[in-house]
Amino acid sequence: MEHLTTLAQWRAFTDEQRRSGRTVGFVPTMGALHDGHGSLVRRAVADGTVALVSIFVNPRQFNDAADLAAYPRDEARDLALCESWGAAAVVTPSVEEMWPDYPRTTATTVSVAGITERFEGAGRPGHFDGVASVVTKLFAITGVANAYFGEKDFQQLAMVRQLNRDLALGITIVGCPIARDHDGLALSSRNVRLSEPGRAVALAFSSALRAVEGSSLDATQARATMQQILNAAGVEIAYADIVHSDTLEPVEADFTGIARALLAGLVDGVRLLDNAEVTITARKGA
Ligand code: PAF
């Protein structure tokens, strides 16, 4: 496995793959890797692409300096994991090269309207602009490729699809299913911060989703069912909604079809997210 550290090495690597007729399978990450990232790298390998992982803790998507400082970093461990998953290369660019003006404000910002305004965007001003800006830059350096994103951050995935479409970046975005622990908890770097009782409470997220998946409830019933399960477990709910999968607008009472259930809430002071595809049936008489 190659370890690249500069933008020039990164560009040369991806150019060379394309010249040789291979497809680059790009997996952008911020490190602190776990098996959820592993599932993305393994998928890139299974698709026959040359898996390239980027590890870059992007300061522009943190709106809290303490959060950025506390973000876990262990490059040696992350590199070993990438190698074990079959990555062909890992790039660990410096902040100086990615954002030459940092910590001063960078003049150019990529901002995706609509999709980013509610849910995770509501309580974290600037977060999605930071993600959109860095993803655009990561794509610009990587060039034409497949890019693998987890469905766990469903709003991020929807935003990335939108910006790729709007800016014609030519990337094939591959959304990958949420990797879960044996007990159903969605894998996240934040799970290590849960106490043992907190972890048991956190299982309410996957229980709430299971209760509405395949149940053919209407949207109002589905929202109420999820809220009731999360409340009963003691989750401090941020949102529990049923939305259109592409726009992330809440579905109407007369909606019938495939939608997305989106959940977020606090357990032990740790913000957890989960989501699933659900089938919704129009409310009777709606
Ligand atoms: O999902 C993440 O880890 C980050 O938001 C991403 C896409 C790597 C951008 O920094």
Side-chain angles (χ1 to χ4, degrees), residues 28-31 37 54 56-58 61 71 127 130-131 134-135 138 149 153 156 160:
T29 81
M30 297 208 301
H37 301 104
S54 66
F56 178 63
V57 182
N58 171 34
Q61 70 189 77
Y71 199 82
H127 167 70
V131 177
V134 82
V135 167
L138 298 173
F149 288 84
D153 293 306
Q156 169 173 282
V160 170

Side-chain angles (χ1 to χ4, degrees), residues 1 13 22-27 36-53 81-90 146-149 174 176:
M1 187 183 77
F13 177 85
R22 291 185 282 266
T23 302
V24 174
F26 180 49
V27 183
H37 301 104
S39 70
L40 305 182
V41 178
R42 288 193 293 264
R43 170 71 187 273
V45 173
D47 284 352
T49 68
V50 177
L52 165 67
V53 180
L81 281 172
C82 288
E83 184 149 34
S84 74
W85 295 328
V90 175
N146 290 1
Y148 294 82
F149 288 84
V174 185
C176 300

Side-chain angles (χ1 to χ4, degrees), residues 195-214:
S195 64
E196 213 177 299
R199 204 190 144 87
V201 171
L203 295 182
F205 284 84
S206 48
S207 308
L209 293 172
R210 276 200 307 274
V212 296
E213 270 169 338

Side-chain angles (χ1 to χ4, degrees), residues 54-271:
S54 66
I55 299 177
F56 178 63
V57 182
N58 171 34
R60 290 186 65 185
Q61 70 189 77
F62 288 80
N63 32 21
D64 177 357
D67 222 21
L68 172 62
Y71 199 82
R73 294 159 211 251
D74 188 343
E75 187 176 291
R77 177 183 170 279
D78 286 347
L79 289 174
L81 281 172
C82 288
E83 184 149 34
S84 74
W85 295 328
V90 175
V91 58
T92 54
S94 65
V95 176
E96 292 69 30
E97 265 208 300
M98 286 297 289
W99 301 125
D101 297 321
Y102 185 79
R104 280 176 290 119
T105 312
T106 306
T108 303
T109 293
V110 179
S111 191
V112 181
I115 282 175
T116 60
E117 279 153 26
R118 52 180 101 219
F119 305 120
E120 291 311 291
R124 301 169 75 185
H127 167 70
F128 279 121
D129 283 359
V131 177
S133 300
V134 82
V135 167
T136 304
K137 186 153 186 173
L138 298 173
F139 285 177
I141 300 161
T142 302
V144 170
N146 290 1
Y148 294 82
F149 288 84
E151 287 184 343
K152 163 92 185 338
D153 293 306
F154 196 77
Q155 192 174 8
Q156 169 173 282
L157 173 59
M159 182 196 74
V160 170
R161 287 193 197 282
Q162 182 78 46
L163 81 82
N164 184 50
R165 196 182 313 135
D166 289 351
L167 302 180
L169 299 179
I171 304 287
T172 301
I173 308 293
V174 185
C176 300
I178 297 176
R180 295 184 181 278
D181 234 324
H182 60 94
D183 54 7
L185 186 65
L187 295 187
S188 160
S189 336
R190 296 182 181 180
N191 293 352
V192 293
R193 288 157 51 195
L194 292 171
S195 64
E196 213 177 299
R199 204 190 144 87
V201 171
L203 295 182
F205 284 84
S206 48
S207 308
L209 293 172
R210 276 200 307 274
V212 296
E213 270 169 338
S215 63
S216 294
L217 295 171
D218 68 50
T220 311
Q221 290 169 326
R223 290 182 183 111
T225 302
M226 297 191 300
Q227 273 165 10
Q228 191 264 324
I229 293 171
L230 294 174
N231 270 329
V235 175
E236 199 182 310
I237 302 175
Y239 52 82
D241 213 337
I242 305 289
V243 301
H244 292 278
S245 309
D246 47 355
T247 61
L248 269 53
E249 291 286 335
V251 303
E252 310 71 23
D254 62 353
F255 176 85
T256 293
I258 306 284
R260 202 83 191 178
L262 293 185
L263 304 179
L266 287 180
V267 176
D268 281 347
V270 181
R271 190 177 172 95

